[in-house]
Amino acid sequence: MQHRSRATRRAGDDLMNGASGGEGRVRRESVWDYPRPPRIEPDARHVVVRHRGVTLADSHRCLRVLETSHPPVFYVPPADVRVELLSGSGRRSACEWKGMATYWTLRGAADHPPVPDAAWSYEAPGPGYEALTGHLAFYPDRVEVCTVDGERVRAQPGGFYGGWITDEVVGPFKGGAGTLGW
């Protein structure tokens, strides 16, 4: 396979993954081809979030946010989330585009402690990001498992951004040690 420069490669290009013909094709996206400011796109793949054997979210109606150098973040519509298992944590942070994020703690049970800031949402997002209103994004390293069409998600390094790494995305990814200045 011939290498193409970043300028001519597009997110979503199919690359051969060691196979010939139509089999073995994996959709590969370089996070360096994602836009800045971020783009929102609907995603109908099956997204599931579980913790301690309980399904917290199950959806085919997510919004995926794509931003340069970050793995995608999947935002689940509130109707597809067990919101009764979450409570506001009081933490907030600001995104220069999306606005103020509100964080959510996964409530504990008698035999399980709560999980602080397991998810976040934008309750009043900035212009151009209104579609995210009320949708919840989960940190994959704070819950038992997140999957996209059955593939187990890996957490974005560093614990701040919350991106979902799957086999379809390639980095390097912002978030790990020494990358916050990118």
Side-chain angles (χ1 to χ4, degrees):
M1 172 175 293
Q2 202 172 31
H3 174 71
R4 289 187 289 160
S5 73
R6 187 173 152 212
T8 60
R9 192 176 60 237
R10 338 178 260 113
D13 277 355
D14 282 345
L15 301 179
M16 294 307 293
N17 195 19
S20 60
E23 293 189 31
R25 290 180 83 88
V26 174
R27 181 175 130 185
R28 295 282 179 153
E29 300 175 348
S30 169
V31 298
W32 291 96
D33 291 332
Y34 290 164
R36 190 167 174 88
R39 178 178 72 233
I40 299 171
E41 61 181 34
D43 196 304
R45 289 178 291 174
H46 190 203
V47 169
V48 175
V49 178
R50 288 191 182 93
H51 190 67
R52 301 202 185 277
V54 174
T55 299
L56 304 175
D58 190 330
S59 185
H60 288 273
R61 305 178 302 140
C62 292
L63 297 174
R64 192 169 76 130
V65 173
L66 309 176
E67 180 177 354
T68 304
S69 77
H70 297 272
V73 175
F74 286 79
Y75 287 81
V76 184
D80 296 346
V81 176
R82 301 267 318 267
V83 293
E84 73 277 9
L85 300 177
L86 301 170
S87 60
S89 74
R91 179 176 170 220
R92 293 174 55 92
S93 69
C95 170
E96 64 186 301
W97 294 290
K98 296 181 291 286
M100 291 301 295
T102 300
Y103 290 81
W104 301 93
T105 292
L106 178 58
R107 292 184 180 161
D111 54 343
H112 302 295
V115 181
D117 302 333
W120 75 96
S121 64
Y122 292 93
E123 299 306 305
Y129 296 92
E130 295 88 354
L132 292 178
T133 302
H135 284 57
L136 289 122
F138 289 85
Y139 281 100
D141 60 348
R142 297 184 189 175
V143 294
E144 184 178 332
V145 65
C146 299
T147 61
V148 177
D149 273 352
E151 180 186 349
R152 188 181 189 114
V153 169
R154 298 170 306 279
Q156 181 174 4
F160 178 74
Y161 295 108
W164 289 28
I165 301 173
T166 59
D167 289 344
E168 76 180 338
V169 294
V170 294
F173 306 111
K174 183 175 183 174
T179 66
L180 294 180
W182 288 0

